[in-house]
Amino acid sequence: MTKHILIVGGGYVGLYTALRLQRRLHRELRDGQVRITIIDPQSYMTYQPFLPEAAAGNLSPRHVVAPLRRVLPKVRILNGAVTRVDHAERTVTFQPAEGEARRIGYDLIVMAAGSISRTLPIPGLTDIGIGLKTVGEAIALRNRVLHLLDVAESTDDPEVRRRALTFVVVGAGFAGVEVLAELEDMARDSTRYYRNIKPSDIRWVLVEATRRVLPEVGPEMGKWTLEQLRERGIEVKLDTRLESCVGGHVVLSDGSAFDAETLVWTAGVKPSTVVNASDLPLDERGRIKTTTMLTVAGTPDAFAAGDAAGVPDVTNPGQYCAPNAQHAVRQAKVLADNIVRRLRGEQLVEYRHKYVGSVAGLGLHQGVANVYGVKLRGFPAWFMHRTYHLSRVPTLNRKVRVVVDWTLALFFKRETISLGEMEHPRDGFRAAVATTHR
Ligand SMILES: Cc1cc2nc3c(=O)[nH]c(=O)nc-3n(C[C@H](O)[C@H](O)[C@H](O)COP(=O)(O)OP(=O)(O)OC[C@H]3O[C@@H](n4cnc5c(N)ncnc54)[C@H](O)[C@@H]3O)c2cc1C
C-alpha cells in the first residue's frame, strides 16, 4: 500500500526534508510505494537571511526564493494553507488559494509551518507596522523607503518631510539590525540623486527592549555592532519599548515621542497559527512538543522541526534549539533520515547540533561574525556573511543568480527606483475607466 507523507510548509524544513526524501526514497517514489505532498500558500521557499539584502536592492526578489515545483519534481505541491490538523484521523483540512476547503489524508505528517511575527497589543501597530518575514514585505519596505525620499524631496512642508524621513525598527536581533543597516546604507547611497536630502537629514531609530543588540554574535561583537551603528548616526535605544504608534505618532518608554511614516517590527517570532488548530501536543511556549528525534512527543506518525517546534537542545540540557536557519536545515536532514528509518523499521537517531555562532551583514562591505569562536568585523565579516549564505542557498541556479546580482551591483551601483506602483497595478486603469463613466 502507498505511504503518503504530508509536509505542512515548504520553507527551510519543508524544502530540505523533501529534497532528502526525494533522493533517499528515489526507488519507492518511482514504484509508487511512497507519495510526498507539500502544502504551502507560496509556490516557493524563501531564503529569509537574504530578505534584508532584497530590501536594500542588492538582490533581485526572485533570486532569494527557490521554486518548489522545479526543485522537487517528484513531490506534489499544493498551494494554499492547512487550516486544521486532525492527527487522530490522519487528515488535514486544506484551504486552496481558490475554491472550497477539502480534507486530505496522510500516513505520516511533518509539521514545518515555521513562525510568524510575535507582536504585542500596542496601540497603532497595525496602522504603520510592517514585518520582515516575506519577500512581499521586503520589497514593500524597499519601495516605501525610496518613495518617502521622493516625498521628502517634493514637499514644502517641514512636518511632512520630517515624518517621511523618520524610520523606526523595533527589535535588534539579526532581522532588525540587518534590515536597518542595509536600508540605511541604501538610503545613504540614494541621497546623491536628491538635491535636498543629505544622509544626516534621515533619522533612523532602533528600539530594543533589552540591553544588547545582535545577541546571536555574542556580547563582544554585539557591543562592537552597537558602536558601529551609533557611529553611522543611527539612534539605538536600548532598554526601551514601543508604547504606541497611533497614526504614526511613535511614543517610546524612555519618554520620547515623534512622528514616523515607517515602523518595522522585528521583535521576535512565534509559531505559525496552524499549530493551535491541531490535536498535536504543544509546549509551554506554544510550539509543537517535539522529542530529540524530531518526532512529536507521545504521538505516532508525526514529525516536527524548525521555528514551529520546541526541539530540546541535547548539547545544552534544559534548553531548546533557537528558531534559526542553522538548526532548521540540519534538523531537516535528520528528520528526513528518521522518516526513512521509520519506514524501514530501523531505530531513529537524535538531533544533535551545537550552535556555532552567526554572521550578519551591516550594509555593503560591512558585517560582523562570530563563528566557531572566530570573531570578525568589517569587510572580512561581510565577505564571510556572503560566502556562507551563498553556500547555503538551495540549488546551483539560485547561487549563480545571486552572484550575478552581487556582481552587477558592484559595477553598476544598485537600483534606487521605487516601484511602489506595483502594489496597486489597477489604480491607473480604474481611474481611466472612471472617466468614461462620467
Ligand atoms: C529577516 C530574517 C533574517 C534571518 N537571518 C537568519 C540568519 O542570518 N541565520 C539564521 O540561522 N537564521 C536566520 N533567520 C531565521 C530563519 O530564516 C528561520 O529560522 C527559518 O526560516 C525557519 O525555518 P522553518 O522551515 O521552520 O520556517 P520557514 O522557513 O519560515 O517556513 C515555513 C513555511 O510554512 C509555510 N506555512 C505557514 N503556515 C502554513 C499553513 N497553515 N499551511 C501551510 N504552510 C504554511 C510558510 O508559508 C513557509 O513557507 C532569519 C529570519 C528572518 C525573518
Side-chain angles (χ1 to χ4, degrees):
M1 209 180 76
T2 308
K3 284 261 180 211
H4 184 203
I5 302 170
L6 180 71
I7 303 177
V8 182
Y12 269 90
V13 171
L15 174 98
Y16 281 104
T17 300
L19 257 180
R20 197 157 173 92
L21 287 175
Q22 186 177 256
R23 209 172 66 228
R24 292 215 52 201
L25 297 175
H26 175 73
R27 204 157 4 99
E28 289 86 344
L29 283 162
R30 193 194 55 205
D31 299 344
Q33 294 162 28
V34 171
R35 208 152 55 83
I36 306 173
T37 304
I38 289 187
I39 299 181
D40 197 299
Q42 311 302 340
S43 59
Y44 51 79
M45 173 262 196
T46 304
Y47 192 83
Q48 291 174 6
F50 274 157
L51 290 180
E53 284 217 54
N58 292 330
L59 290 175
S60 155
R62 280 181 195 81
H63 302 163
V64 302
V65 299
L68 296 174
R69 289 190 177 84
R70 190 151 146 194
V71 178
L72 300 165
K74 300 198 176 70
V75 174
R76 181 172 64 148
I77 311 293
L78 293 179
N79 293 124
V82 169
T83 53
R84 226 209 113 75
V85 179
D86 289 307
H87 189 64
E89 293 178 26
R90 305 293 190 271
T91 58
V92 296
T93 306
F94 166 59
Q95 176 61 63
E98 298 276 340
E100 295 279 300
R102 64 177 195 268
R103 308 226 313 159
I104 297 178
Y106 61 80
D107 298 292
L108 246 164
I109 193 166
V110 177
M111 292 297 286
S115 55
I116 56 172
S117 299
R118 177 163 44 85
T119 55
L120 297 167
I122 292 172
L125 192 55
T126 46
D127 294 355
I128 60 161
I130 180 168
L132 187 71
K133 289 285 294 170
T134 64
V135 174
E137 286 170 329
I139 302 316
L141 198 51
R142 167 183 167 69
N143 286 331
R144 189 175 182 80
V145 172
L146 293 170
H147 167 70
L148 289 169
L149 295 184
D150 296 344
V151 168
E153 175 88 343
S154 313
T155 183
D156 283 338
D157 185 333
E159 273 311 308
V160 170
R161 180 180 155 90
R162 198 169 309 130
R163 187 181 158 107
L165 293 181
T166 302
F167 300 95
V168 182
V169 174
V170 182
F174 41 27
V177 168
E178 283 192 296
V179 78
L180 177 90
E182 292 285 355
L183 288 175
E184 191 270 341
D185 197 47
M186 175 190 77
R188 177 184 293 272
D189 219 28
S190 306
T191 52
R192 76 176 85 184
Y193 307 114
Y194 292 84
R195 288 176 181 224
N196 297 318
I197 305 177
K198 298 190 295 302
S200 57
D201 295 336
I202 311 176
R203 184 176 181 195
W204 299 92
V205 185
L206 178 61
V207 180
E208 167 56 43
T210 70
R211 288 173 166 272
R212 52 198 278 207
V213 305
L214 218 54
E216 293 86 353
V217 293
E220 187 191 331
M221 300 317 278
K223 193 162 164 280
W224 179 82
T225 307
L226 176 63
E227 284 160 14
Q228 280 296 302
L229 295 176
R230 285 186 168 149
E231 265 173 36
R232 280 162 69 170
I234 295 166
E235 289 173 50
V236 186
K237 291 173 177 281
L238 299 179
D239 244 340
T240 307
R241 290 177 319 280
L242 173 69
E243 303 225 303
S244 73
C245 51
V246 178
H249 184 65
V250 176
V251 179
L252 302 178
S253 63
D254 67 355
S256 57
F258 52 88
D259 287 347
E261 200 69 41
T262 311
L263 184 141
V264 191
W265 181 271
T266 54
V269 293
K270 64 179 181 188
S272 160
T273 50
V274 67
V275 306
N276 298 314
S278 82
D279 53 0
L280 298 171
L282 303 185
D283 68 13
E284 65 287 356
R285 289 201 222 158
R287 299 165 302 196
I288 297 170
K289 203 168 179 184
T290 310
T291 69
T292 52
M293 281 165 300
L294 305 175
T295 57
V296 177
T299 313
D301 307 329
F303 290 78
D307 288 8
V311 180
D313 182 352
V314 294
T315 70
N316 204 354
Q319 300 296 313
Y320 289 96
C321 298
N324 60 42
Q326 199 179 117
H327 281 300
V329 174
R330 289 170 171 87
Q331 286 171 357
K333 181 170 175 282
V334 175
L335 196 160
D337 288 346
N338 274 348
I339 289 180
V340 175
R341 287 187 187 99
R342 172 63 49 85
L343 294 177
R344 295 182 181 157
E346 296 166 8
Q347 189 77 29
L348 308 196
V349 301
E350 281 193 328
Y351 170 71
R352 174 181 293 270
H353 170 69
K354 196 164 177 53
Y355 185 65
V356 298
S358 216
V359 289
L362 301 176
L364 211 54
H365 302 156
Q366 302 168 74
V368 59
N370 184 351
V371 181
Y372 292 114
V374 178
K375 295 172 185 143
L376 298 174
R377 54 193 82 178
F379 184 85
W382 172 81
F383 189 73
M384 186 175 189
H385 164 76
R386 284 205 158 177
T387 41
Y388 170 76
H389 284 301
L390 188 64
S391 71
R392 295 279 151 181
V393 175
T395 81
L396 179 66
N397 177 307
R398 255 47 201 169
K399 288 186 207 298
V400 172
R401 288 173 193 269
V402 164
V403 169
V404 169
D405 279 355
W406 280 340
T407 313
L408 286 176
L410 213 63
F411 289 108
F412 295 108
K413 305 253 180 272
R414 66 180 116 203
E415 291 288 357
T416 53
I417 314 151
S418 164
L419 290 181
E421 180 208 339
M422 284 170 66
E423 287 156 38
H424 313 280
R426 297 184 61 221
D427 285 3
F429 185 69
R430 276 208 199 103
V433 172
T435 60
T436 60
H437 290 303
R438 271 195 199 126

